[in-house]
Amino acid sequence: VSGIQHGCGSGAREIRTDRAWPWWPVSMEISTLTRVGRVGEDGVRPVEVRIRFEDQDGDPCKASGELTLTIVRAGEPGDPERRTIDLVDPDLQRRYYESVTGCYAIPVYLDLPGMVPGRLLRIGADFQSVDGATFGSQGDLVLQYSLQARN
């Protein structure tokens, strides 16, 4: 078994009708397209976390606010790896949003021991929108590849 497995809810909320623009996010999830990325020049593979927001029609949409990702080795002690991305920044919006998947694709380079095939990672995502809405999602990823290149 490999790939992302979902847990918890999608963080759906009530649809807002008090705005002129109705296509604000109403849900967020860690996409099943989350995976281990390709080996970089430094010999390290990132975990490519893909976050998908959906509007009231169920279509993918962009979001504006602060996204925090946490990754831990499931069932093992240790502090989580944490990354915060400012999705208010237009440059970061352009860098991370993939039109073809409708997701934000965020490469996370982990500094955790034992990142070998079969290792189970627990990924959490929390989002605070500029309008005050909050979303949360969690998923598991079984590593298909080692994150470190072989010597």
Side-chain angles (χ1 to χ4, degrees):
V1 176
S2 63
I4 195 82
Q5 301 166 356
H6 289 281
C8 298
S10 66
R13 67 180 178 113
E14 280 204 28
I15 296 169
R16 300 219 27 195
T17 58
D18 61 337
R19 299 185 182 142
W21 181 259
W23 296 284
W24 287 75
V26 296
S27 68
M28 175 190 80
E29 70 176 8
I30 297 173
S31 171
T32 57
L33 297 174
T34 295
R35 66 187 179 121
V36 174
R38 296 181 180 178
V39 176
E41 291 180 13
D42 59 356
V44 178
R45 294 176 185 267
V47 173
E48 294 176 353
V49 179
R50 284 183 168 76
I51 303 294
R52 180 181 174 100
F53 292 91
E54 290 185 352
D55 65 19
Q56 65 185 5
D57 294 328
D59 294 325
C61 65
K62 292 184 177 182
S64 185
E66 185 176 273
L67 176 66
T68 301
L69 302 175
T70 55
I71 302 178
V72 297
R73 295 174 300 161
E76 297 184 30
D79 293 329
E81 290 275 332
R82 188 176 311 276
R83 303 292 185 277
T84 300
I85 300 93
D86 179 10
L87 292 180
V88 175
D89 183 330
D91 291 331
L92 293 180
Q93 283 279 347
R94 284 187 282 279
R95 180 184 312 159
Y96 293 129
Y97 192 77
E98 294 179 323
S99 297
V100 70
T101 64
C103 297
Y104 290 93
I106 301 160
V108 179
Y109 293 88
L110 297 174
D111 187 21
L112 295 170
M115 295 290 96
V116 296
R119 173 74 65 190
L120 178 65
L121 298 179
R122 181 137 303 132
I123 303 170
D126 292 295
F127 181 73
Q128 176 76 42
S129 177
V130 294
D131 72 348
T134 59
F135 302 105
S137 185
Q138 183 175 313
D140 291 337
L141 176 68
V142 177
L143 294 182
Q144 298 170 307
Y145 309 99
S146 173
L147 298 185
Q148 301 294 322
R150 296 183 180 144
N151 295 332

